[in-house]
Amino acid sequence: MMIIEKMAAILAGSLLVGVGINFFLIPYHLLDGGMIGIGLIIHYFLGLPTGLGVILSSIPLYIYAWYYEKKLFLNSLHGLLFSSLCIDIFSEAVIDWNLPIYISAIIGGGLIGLGIGLMLRYGTSTGGTDMLAQIISRKSGLNAGMLIFFIDGCVLIVGLSVVDLTVFFYSFLTIIAVAMLTSVTVMRTAT
């Protein structure tokens, strides 16, 4: 039963991440943090598919995990591949919500955070900085959602090279929503 629950969490989390990115962030060129943010930066700058950018930017962490965190490597590989696939599959969807950018930033970030948190609850992740946050959280006891928030902020600053200042500030709303929903979703299992 645990394997079925874990696969359901990976699938549901990946779908939430894919919808959040493609339906709410990309239409406004918003950024997220972490490897997803790096994938978005690669997409906006080079035109590569976002999911492919996430996979490529996650390779160094997966090499580290292969040698030092085999269980985490194996548990996160499915999340990385499924979420990247969902991101690229949903990229073909044409959405014309006409939502204000701040609403899109909050909803997109909330969906991504919920998806990431759901996967973290079942010991998997989308890879990249989610995996890094899990490693640091286990060793330090710090909240994984707050670690993701810090890393996301660093990636967002790098993103200033491809988005203007207005989009940067709305993207900050996105990472706040991601951090809040990830933290709340992960904490629910601790109680």
Side-chain angles (χ1 to χ4, degrees):
M1 189 62 134
M2 184 64 163
I3 291 176
I4 293 171
E5 288 176 2
K6 187 174 201 166
M7 290 308 294
I10 291 170
L11 182 57
S14 296
L15 290 171
L16 287 166
V17 169
V19 167
I21 289 170
N22 288 292
F23 292 12
F24 298 97
L25 301 190
I26 289 179
Y28 291 102
H29 284 110
L30 290 164
L31 293 171
D32 186 13
M35 294 304 169
I36 292 172
I38 293 170
L40 286 166
I41 291 168
I42 291 169
H43 173 70
Y44 298 148
F45 190 69
L46 299 175
L48 287 177
T50 306
L52 177 61
V54 171
I55 290 172
L56 293 174
S57 59
S58 295
I59 290 173
L61 273 173
Y62 273 86
I63 291 171
Y64 170 83
W66 174 256
Y67 288 105
Y68 301 106
E69 299 275 347
K70 283 242 202 275
K71 184 177 180 183
L72 190 58
F73 171 88
L74 295 171
N75 286 335
S76 297
L77 186 60
H78 297 97
L80 170 69
L81 296 176
F82 275 104
S83 62
S84 296
L85 179 65
C86 285
I87 291 168
D88 288 347
I89 286 173
F90 285 122
S91 71
E92 299 300 318
V94 177
I95 301 301
D96 190 19
W97 306 110
N98 277 345
L99 294 173
I101 189 171
Y102 68 93
I103 297 292
S104 199
I106 293 168
I107 293 172
L111 290 172
I112 294 165
L114 186 59
I116 290 170
L118 185 60
M119 286 191 265
L120 288 174
R121 281 175 68 169
Y122 286 89
T124 189
S125 72
T126 58
T129 53
D130 303 344
M131 184 189 325
L132 181 61
Q134 278 185 295
I135 293 168
I136 294 170
S137 179
R138 270 197 235 140
K139 294 181 187 282
S140 68
L142 296 171
N143 181 284
M146 290 298 107
L147 290 167
I148 291 169
F149 178 70
F150 174 75
I151 296 166
D152 287 353
C154 294
V155 171
L156 194 58
I157 290 169
V158 171
L160 271 170
S161 62
V162 296
V163 299
D164 64 32
L165 202 52
T166 302
V167 172
F168 170 82
F169 285 116
Y170 286 118
S171 296
F172 192 66
L173 279 176
T174 300
I175 67 165
I176 290 171
V178 170
M180 289 175 64
L181 264 292
T182 301
S183 294
V184 168
T185 306
V186 171
M187 286 186 336
R188 285 201 164 275
T189 56
T191 58

